[in-house]
């Protein structure tokens, strides 16, 4: 669905929706101001068959920006790094590259100028003039389904432990993409999970990067990446590389009435008391994700919350990167607003840095929360409606 490495997030939406539907609120018009540029106060994906809404339903609304008063102009390293990732993505493109949104087309130069103008506003404009400057320099396009507000969810990077050999509970390998050989009678890349659970198959067709507990492998494949910590202190990432093309089936559909909580990161607790049931439920999912290993430096763990690579080789930045529908061009800036019972976000500047095989529909957005403490709970609790506004260059009107 996109070029380059990407997180391939799956979906536990059915049980998440059931657990949260009573708490979802649509309070867009009365959101209190959270800064557009400052650090947030605190620190998923759906079947491929989910209906997509036609982009002709996107509304062009000049009144999409809420109040920009009382903005905090503290320099946010995450924002600066997110800008850098988007700019470098377009700089890697050929000079004659065109960016298309619906029936509109923009040159690479026009997009790069958009970022230069937006950075200039952030760094040089007095607070009370930011609203008028953004409205003056950019087209602000609200993305929403025809009769509703877009769904906002969250995702994060898992932290797990691993071992170099099968030992105890660490029996499940995170595998590299299978090798290709025209002499093979079958294409191993298309094997269902049940075949990859057989040691004879992964020894023949692939290589283990690390051995994990089953629930941790499930989380890593669900979220598309993980930070792995070894007993010797080594830390590295396993990033999405390929998948077997099968549809994801959530273990939750087999575990109603068995596990007290069906949230993915709570399965490690449930497997202790119901090992057979949880193991079978996870292994019934035919979809399988392969990984590649990425070394990480110690400073990278903390500095600026740099995440794994998303789509197009773009590095994900906590609280500044989002995944959106493939028809929303990668790299572009978006203003995001939503409210939960713990947080209010109003016109937060984020960037389209990722895709998901199930992130489909006008305005549908998955918000990357990083890998810090508590992000598992926050990501799994983030399910709400919101407001999503795409920023595009203003085209000069041709006078005839």
């Amino acid at each position: 669905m996109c070029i380059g490495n990407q997180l391939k997030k799956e979906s536990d939406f059915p049980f998440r929706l059931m657990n949260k539907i009573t708490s979802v609120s649509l309070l867009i018009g009365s959101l209190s101001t959270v800064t557009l540029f400052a650090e947030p106060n605190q620190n998923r994906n759906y079947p491929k068959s989910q209906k997509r809404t036609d982009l002709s339903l996107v509304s062009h609304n000049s009144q999409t920006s809420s109040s920009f008063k009382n903005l905090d102009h503290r320099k946010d390293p995450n924002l600066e790094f997110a800008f850098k990732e988007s700019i470098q993505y377009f700089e890697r493109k050929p000079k004659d590259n065109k960016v298309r949104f619906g029936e509109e087309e923009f040159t690479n130069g026009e997009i790069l100028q958009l970022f230069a103008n937006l950075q200039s506003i952030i760094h040089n404009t007095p607070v009370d003039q930011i609203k008028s400057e953004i409205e003056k320099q950019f087209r602000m396009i609200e993305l929403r389904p025809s009769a509703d507000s877009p769904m906002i969810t969250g995702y994060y990077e898992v932290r797990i432990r691993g071992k170099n050999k099968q030992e105890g509970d660490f029996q499940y390998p995170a595998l590299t993409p299978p090798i290709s050989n025209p002499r093979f009678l079958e294409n191993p890349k298309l094997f269902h999970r049940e075949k990859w659970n057989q040691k004879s198959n992964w020894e023949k067709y692939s290589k283990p990067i690390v051995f994990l507990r089953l629930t941790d492998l499930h989380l890593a494949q669900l979220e598309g990446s993980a930070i792995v910590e070894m007993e010797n202190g080594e830390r590295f990432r396993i990033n999405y590389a390929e998948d077997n093309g099968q549809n994801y089936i959530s273990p939750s559909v087999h575990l109603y009435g068995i596990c007290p909580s069906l949230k993915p990161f709570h399965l490690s607790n449930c497997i202790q008391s119901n090992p057979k049931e949880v193991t079978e439920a996870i292994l019934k999912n035919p979809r399988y994700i392969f990984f590649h290993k990425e070394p990480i430096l110690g400073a990278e763990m903390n500095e600026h919350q740099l995440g794994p690579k998303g789509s197009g080789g773009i590095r994900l930045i906590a609280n500044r990167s989002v995944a959106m529908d493939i028809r929303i061009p990668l790299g572009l800036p978006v203003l995001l607003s939503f409210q939960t019972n713990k947080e209010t976000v109003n016109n937060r500047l984020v960037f389209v840095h990722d895709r998901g095989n199930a992130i489909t529909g006008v305005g549908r957005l998955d918000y990357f929360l990083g890998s810090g403490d508590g992000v598992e709970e926050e990501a799994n609790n983030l399910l709400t409606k919101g407001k999503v506004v795409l920023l595009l260059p203003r085209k000069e009107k041709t006078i005839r």
Side-chain angles (χ1 to χ4, degrees), residues 116-278:
N117 294 343
L118 188 54
Q119 283 185 306
S120 177
I121 291 174
I122 292 171
H123 296 150
N124 304 316
T125 305
V127 173
D128 59 355
Q129 298 177 28
I130 289 179
K131 176 183 177 181
S132 60
E133 282 303 311
I134 287 182
E135 291 181 337
K136 183 188 304 181
Q137 295 195 35
F138 306 107
R139 290 181 59 214
M140 305 176 68
I141 301 177
E142 183 174 357
L143 308 176
R144 59 181 300 160
S146 57
D148 203 353
S149 296
M151 182 67 70
I152 312 298
T153 52
Y155 69 111
Y156 66 106
E157 186 171 28
V158 181
R159 288 175 179 260
I160 54 180
R161 298 192 177 277
K163 293 183 179 289
N164 287 318
K165 60 183 180 179
Q166 288 179 302
E167 179 182 320
D169 292 336
F170 295 78
Q171 294 293 317
Y172 297 87
L175 298 174
T176 60
I179 58 176
S180 298
N181 191 320
R183 292 178 297 176
F184 292 158
L185 297 178
E186 299 177 280
N187 182 355
K189 181 181 175 181
L190 303 180
F191 286 174
H192 285 213
R193 180 178 298 272
E194 60 186 15
K195 285 197 172 185
W196 287 117
N197 290 329
Q198 299 171 19
K199 186 175 182 179
S200 59
N201 282 328
W202 55 258
E203 283 186 327
K204 180 179 180 179
Y205 298 114
S206 181
K207 292 182 179 180
I209 299 172
V210 64
F211 292 94
L212 307 171
R213 293 176 295 189
L214 179 59
T215 52
D216 288 340
L217 176 63
H218 170 65
L219 275 177
Q221 293 183 324
L222 182 72
E223 298 296 338
S225 74
I227 295 174
V228 182
E229 299 181 359
M230 307 295 285
E231 288 181 305
N232 61 3
E234 179 190 7
R235 293 181 293 185
F236 56 87
R237 278 192 173 95
I238 51 174
N239 282 326
Y240 169 91
E242 293 183 27
D243 62 72
N244 64 353
Q246 300 299 315
N247 286 322
Y248 174 77
I249 298 177
S250 171
S252 65
V253 302
H254 306 291
L255 295 173
Y256 288 113
I258 296 175
C259 296
S261 170
L262 295 177
K263 293 179 180 178
F265 67 102
H266 287 160
L267 291 181
S268 58
N269 297 327
C270 187
I271 201 171
Q272 302 299 318
S273 55
N274 302 279
K276 181 176 181 295
E277 291 83 354
V278 175

Side-chain angles (χ1 to χ4, degrees), residues 58 65 68 74-75 123 153 171 176 187 204 216 238 251 289 332 334 346-347 355 364 380 386 400:
V58 173
S65 61
F68 286 77
R74 294 173 300 167
K75 189 172 181 179
H123 296 150
T153 52
Q171 294 293 317
T176 60
N187 182 355
K204 180 179 180 179
D216 288 340
I238 51 174
I289 305 297
L332 292 186
V334 166
N346 195 24
N347 286 317
R355 305 296 192 204
R364 174 72 178 90
N380 279 274
R400 296 184 179 181

Side-chain angles (χ1 to χ4, degrees), residues 86-102:
S86 279
I87 291 169
Q88 289 181 340
Y89 170 71
F90 286 105
E91 288 178 340
R92 293 193 295 267
K93 296 287 187 181
K95 290 185 178 180
D96 60 353
N97 176 65
K98 304 292 185 182
V99 178
R100 292 178 175 84
F101 173 73

